[in-house]
Amino acid sequence: MSEHAHAPEDLLAAAPHEFVRPASAWQAVRLLPQNAFIAFLKFYRRIVSPLYGDVCRYFPSCSAYALEAVTVHGAVRGLGLSVRRLLSCHPWAAGGIDRVPDGGRTFPDFASLPKIVLLNHPALAERHQHDHARDTGPAAQGEPSP
């Protein structure tokens, strides 16, 4: 196995998109607002956000926070969390790390985590790389370690 087969760039490239795939026509109608918000936020992050540069006081940025909130919690709760975050972002805010609360949509394994979750939680990717290297190293394959 090559050294960088699971580099962060490779993990991000292989990560699924944030859109929720419906299983039925009814679910497609129910998920339409969530997927519409996700499309708007992805457009904003690609076109508008780069014009501002790196000015956010928080990590993740407000647009990244909103995209993760809508992806994980759905349209209504995600929008509520995003508005709360935007209202707390002002010149007198201390800033810092502000994570999206757990809950809502769950992901069965690491490979199913959307790209925005990996971007907003870099420790997840690092831990996965470390665990994967340990599980596929020489000792795991029955070879003695150096």
Side-chain angles (χ1 to χ4, degrees):
M1 179 179 147
S2 70
E3 285 296 315
H4 57 277
H6 289 282
E9 300 81 25
D10 296 334
L11 291 173
L12 287 175
H17 56 75
E18 291 78 13
F19 295 104
V20 184
R21 292 185 183 206
S24 66
W26 168 246
Q27 193 177 27
V29 170
R30 192 175 64 79
L31 293 173
L32 184 63
Q34 180 178 7
N35 283 330
F37 278 132
I38 290 171
F40 170 76
L41 289 165
K42 288 177 75 106
F43 171 79
Y44 177 87
R45 286 178 52 80
R46 182 169 300 264
I47 304 299
V48 179
S49 193
L51 300 174
Y52 286 108
D54 192 17
V55 296
C56 196
R57 297 175 178 276
Y58 288 101
F59 177 83
S61 68
C62 290
S63 61
Y65 182 96
L67 182 55
E68 182 180 354
V70 171
T71 299
V72 172
H73 292 285
V76 175
R77 182 145 193 254
L79 183 62
L81 289 168
S82 301
V83 167
R84 187 186 82 195
R85 168 67 177 275
L86 287 170
L87 291 174
S88 73
C89 191
H90 51 77
W92 303 279
I97 296 175
D98 183 19
R99 301 275 186 213
V100 173
D102 290 337
R105 185 173 164 199
T106 59
F107 306 97
D109 57 14
F110 185 83
S112 66
L113 288 174
K115 188 177 290 189
I116 193 64
V117 174
L118 293 175
L119 287 171
N120 289 353
H121 301 273
L124 283 175
E126 290 173 13
R127 186 171 48 229
H128 176 71
Q129 284 179 287
H130 175 73
D131 292 347
H132 185 75
R134 184 192 67 220
D135 293 342
T136 60
Q141 297 172 358
E143 300 173 17
S145 351

